[in-house]
Every structure is written in C-alpha cells, then in structure tokens.
Amino acid sequence: MKYLTWKRLINIVLLRLSFYLSRLTKKVILLGNPYFLSIEPVNFCNLHCPECPVGIGVSPSQKSVMSIDKYEKILEEQKKTLWYLILYFQGEPLLHKQFHELVKFAHVRNIFTHTSSNAQLLTEEVAKELVLSGLDKLIVSIDGTTQDVYETYRVGGKLEKAVEGLKNIVEWKKRLRSKSPQVEVQFIVLKTNEHQLPGIKKMAKKWGANKVVLKTAQLYDYENGHPLMPSPKYSRYVQNTDGTYRLKKKIKNRCWKQWSGAVVTADAKLLPCCFDKKAEHAFGQSDNKSLSEIWRNKKAMMFRQQLLTNRKAVEMCRNCSE
C-alpha cells in the first residue's frame, strides 16, 4: 500500500467505474490508464517446459530483449498512474543482463515490482543485486521436491540450483537487513508431482520462503484429457459426461484485466493479457506511439467490445482461469 498515491487511487476508481459502466451498457467506456503492466525483459528461456510455447520453441520466432530506452520511456509515461509492475511474461527474466537496473528504475519511481524466475541463474551476486535493487516480490518456480519429479516439467533444470538460488536471496536479505523481496515458492500442480504437495510446504519453510502458492496448470489440447492433468481438486478442467474436458470456470462476458492493465512483450508489442502467448491480438507496437494511445486505439476497443458481447468466441479466453 505504500506505493498507492492519490493519483493512482483516483485512476483505479476511474478504471473500476468505467468497467462497471461498460458491463451495464454493453458498450466500451474506458477512463484512466493501466494501473498495472507486465513488461517482458526477454522472450527466451534456459529451460524447456512442455506446456510453455517458448520452452518448446513454438513462440516467438525471433529472440528479443527489452531495450533500456524503450522500458524507461514506458515507465516515464505511465509513472503517475502505474502502481504495480510485473517483470516477466514468457521468457526467463534473469537472462536480461541489466535486469536489476530495470527493477531499480521502477523502484525509485515508487512502483511496486514483482518477478518470477526458475532461479537457475540466481547466483549469490545476482541475489545481492536483486535485494539492493528494491525488488518487492520474487516467485521461484519449484514444481517438485526431488530431481526426477522436478525435471518432468522443468526440463533442463536442476532442483538443487533452484533451491540454492532461493537460499541466496534469503541470505542476502538477512545480510542487508531487508524485508524485500517477499519470496514465494510457486508449485504448479501436475499429475506427476501432486503426491509431493505435503513435502513442498515443509521444505519451502525450511528454505526460508515467505509463502507457498499452488498454481493450476494451463494445458493445451486438454479437451480429450492430458497426461499432466492432476486430480479434479487441483485441475482447471472438469470432465463432461461424454468423457471430454472443459474449463471449470464459466466464461462470462467481462474481463477486468482489459480495463486495468496490459502486457508489453520484449519487442514492445502491447498485448491484451498474458494468455495471448503468440501475440495474436496485439494492439500495436510502442515504438513511436505512446502506450496509452495504443491501449485506447480502435483495435483495443474492438477487442474489449468482443469480450462484452461474446467472450467465448476468443480462443485464448476458452482456456483462461481468470
């Protein structure tokens, strides 16, 4: 809450108001600017997770790194109303050689910063830089308590390295007497690791993490079942009477994310949300135009209108947990 200024609060109220009015009238009304952004530092990764388009080499086709100049331009433009900054999308953020500088630039502008990592590159030096940068929240992805289970999803990764990276952050927080970043262990629940749920909570506490978050897996081609699909309790999907599967959550003609924020890819495309993995609904590219202008352009407004009237028609929404 320390990052919430009066201008940012008023902006959020305007966004909420326009969202409810849009739902009521079924016509897009958009007041204010994004209160959160997800900016992708790089669009490539050092692991090969089987349900990740980047991990299996499906998307994107060209490797890109968010340039410092583009990044600073976006934040300078949005800093008065931007409250929450997520520094990841598809790639591994720590592959950006100046990642701690990205965090620091936002931190000194009083913007909450949050990232997620597989922690394979979280050495002592990198951990120290992250703590000093002012990073507020760090998610460390650990999807197994033993190497054989961990690597069934985090293909190419080492559990030992991930744990060591987490411990490096915890140790530097102690040395520098810093309360941040808050460290979360994220455990994507799969059929292959579900039996290790009791163990991850105990181990995360031992490692010094602040919290364990269980995440349901987004699976592609789930309609006829999937080998990674966990038990119904931890699955996003439910079985129909004919044996096929569908999303548990009912898809409603609304989406708060489209009134509150957006995703900026490493090559500066503005996307509606993090489910647009292949940038099929990109609103534009923030090279010459301002982010606010693109967020309000004709394509963006038409996309919001589609969600108000027939969200099921948008393919990526049919696999959305929001």
Side-chain angles (χ1 to χ4, degrees), residues 1-8 35 75-76 78-85 102-113 133-134 136:
M1 293 300 293
K2 66 181 180 180
Y3 297 101
L4 187 60
T5 64
W6 279 108
K7 285 186 178 179
R8 290 171 184 173
Y35 88 79
L75 259 62
E76 278 298 309
Q78 299 293 319
K79 65 183 180 182
K80 290 182 180 179
T81 51
L82 185 62
W83 181 28
Y84 198 110
L85 178 63
L102 301 182
V103 177
K104 191 181 296 183
F105 190 84
H107 180 71
V108 297
R109 282 155 184 78
N110 199 39
I111 299 169
F112 184 93
T113 52
S133 70
D136 292 291

Side-chain angles (χ1 to χ4, degrees), residues 225-282:
H226 195 287
L228 291 175
M229 192 178 292
S231 64
K233 181 180 178 181
Y234 297 107
S235 178
R236 292 186 185 185
Y237 314 99
V238 64
Q239 194 169 28
N240 298 311
T241 53
D242 63 359
T244 60
Y245 288 82
R246 59 179 170 80
L247 199 68
K248 272 184 184 178
K249 194 167 184 179
K250 186 179 178 181
I251 301 172
K252 298 179 181 179
N253 290 332
R254 65 186 71 165
C255 181
W256 165 236
K257 279 191 174 181
Q258 302 312 310
W259 275 257
S260 56
V263 172
V264 183
T265 64
D267 57 355
K269 291 187 180 74
L270 188 68
L271 309 183
C273 73
C274 60
F275 282 85
D276 193 7
K277 307 293 186 185
K278 297 180 183 179
E280 295 173 318
H281 301 280

Side-chain angles (χ1 to χ4, degrees), residues 72-100:
E72 291 181 353
K73 178 186 174 184
I74 291 170
L75 259 62
E76 278 298 309
E77 176 198 334
Q78 299 293 319
K79 65 183 180 182
K80 290 182 180 179
T81 51
L82 185 62
W83 181 28
Y84 198 110
L85 178 63
I86 301 167
L87 283 168
Y88 67 93
F89 175 35
Q90 295 195 83
E92 166 53 46
L94 297 185
L95 285 169
H96 195 295
K97 294 180 180 179
Q98 296 170 288
F99 182 77
H100 65 286

Side-chain angles (χ1 to χ4, degrees), residues 1 25 28 33 37 43 68 81 85 119 126 149 189-190 210 224 268 271 273 284 288 297 311-313:
M1 293 300 293
T25 62
V28 180
N33 288 307
L37 285 175
N43 65 357
I68 295 292
T81 51
L85 178 63
V126 173
V149 171
V189 185
L190 306 161
N210 300 103
N224 294 308
L271 309 183
C273 73
N288 300 316
N297 68 17
R311 189 178 169 205
K312 285 183 180 179

Side-chain angles (χ1 to χ4, degrees), residues 26-40:
K26 294 298 180 182
K27 293 182 180 179
V28 180
I29 299 167
L30 186 60
L31 308 171
N33 288 307
Y35 88 79
F36 85 87
L37 285 175
S38 177
I39 299 181
E40 182 179 48

Side-chain angles (χ1 to χ4, degrees), residues 9-239:
L9 178 59
I10 291 169
N11 180 64
I12 292 170
V13 171
L14 289 173
L15 292 172
R16 272 290 176 187
L17 177 62
S18 58
F19 175 60
Y20 288 126
L21 288 174
S22 297
R23 285 172 52 187
L24 183 66
T25 62
K26 294 298 180 182
K27 293 182 180 179
V28 180
I29 299 167
L30 186 60
L31 308 171
N33 288 307
Y35 88 79
F36 85 87
L37 285 175
S38 177
I39 299 181
E40 182 179 48
V42 301
N43 65 357
F44 48 92
C45 189
N46 51 341
L47 300 187
H48 304 282
C49 304
E51 288 299 300
C52 173
V54 170
I56 60 176
V58 173
S59 172
S61 57
Q62 186 174 348
K63 291 183 177 180
S64 298
V65 176
M66 171 59 67
S67 77
I68 295 292
D69 289 343
K70 286 180 182 177
Y71 175 81
E72 291 181 353
K73 178 186 174 184
I74 291 170
L75 259 62
E76 278 298 309
E77 176 198 334
Q78 299 293 319
K79 65 183 180 182
K80 290 182 180 179
T81 51
L82 185 62
W83 181 28
Y84 198 110
L85 178 63
I86 301 167
L87 283 168
Y88 67 93
F89 175 35
Q90 295 195 83
E92 166 53 46
L94 297 185
L95 285 169
H96 195 295
K97 294 180 180 179
Q98 296 170 288
F99 182 77
H100 65 286
E101 293 295 335
L102 301 182
V103 177
K104 191 181 296 183
F105 190 84
H107 180 71
V108 297
R109 282 155 184 78
N110 199 39
I111 299 169
F112 184 93
T113 52
H114 164 198
T115 196
S116 178
S117 173
N118 57 44
Q120 299 296 296
L121 305 173
L122 201 46
T123 61
E124 281 196 45
E125 183 182 351
V126 173
K128 181 181 179 181
E129 287 178 340
L130 284 185
V131 176
L132 289 173
S133 70
L135 182 69
D136 292 291
K137 180 179 176 182
L138 171 66
I139 292 175
V140 178
S141 300
I142 300 180
D143 312 306
T145 60
T146 57
Q147 177 62 28
D148 60 326
V149 171
Y150 173 82
E151 67 184 353
T152 56
Y153 191 75
R154 300 290 164 181
V155 179
K158 298 293 183 184
L159 174 61
E160 184 181 1
K161 275 191 175 182
V163 174
E164 182 183 347
L166 189 156
K167 288 181 176 179
N168 285 337
I169 283 285
V170 172
E171 177 60 27
W172 274 109
K173 282 173 63 178
K174 289 179 182 176
R175 289 190 195 183
L176 297 170
R177 297 181 180 180
S178 175
K179 292 182 179 180
S180 60
Q182 292 291 298
V183 182
E184 287 187 5
V185 169
Q186 178 180 275
F187 190 95
I188 299 178
V189 185
L190 306 161
K191 186 175 183 178
T192 52
N193 66 9
E194 191 174 349
H195 64 287
Q196 294 188 337
L197 281 171
I200 192 64
K201 294 178 181 180
K202 293 178 182 178
M203 293 174 78
K205 186 177 181 180
K206 183 180 177 181
W207 298 330
N210 300 103
K211 190 177 181 182
V212 175
V213 175
L214 305 181
K215 185 178 180 182
T216 59
Q218 179 186 4
L219 303 171
Y220 297 93
D221 300 321
Y222 63 85
E223 288 87 354
N224 294 308
H226 195 287
L228 291 175
M229 192 178 292
S231 64
K233 181 180 178 181
Y234 297 107
S235 178
R236 292 186 185 185
Y237 314 99
V238 64
Q239 194 169 28

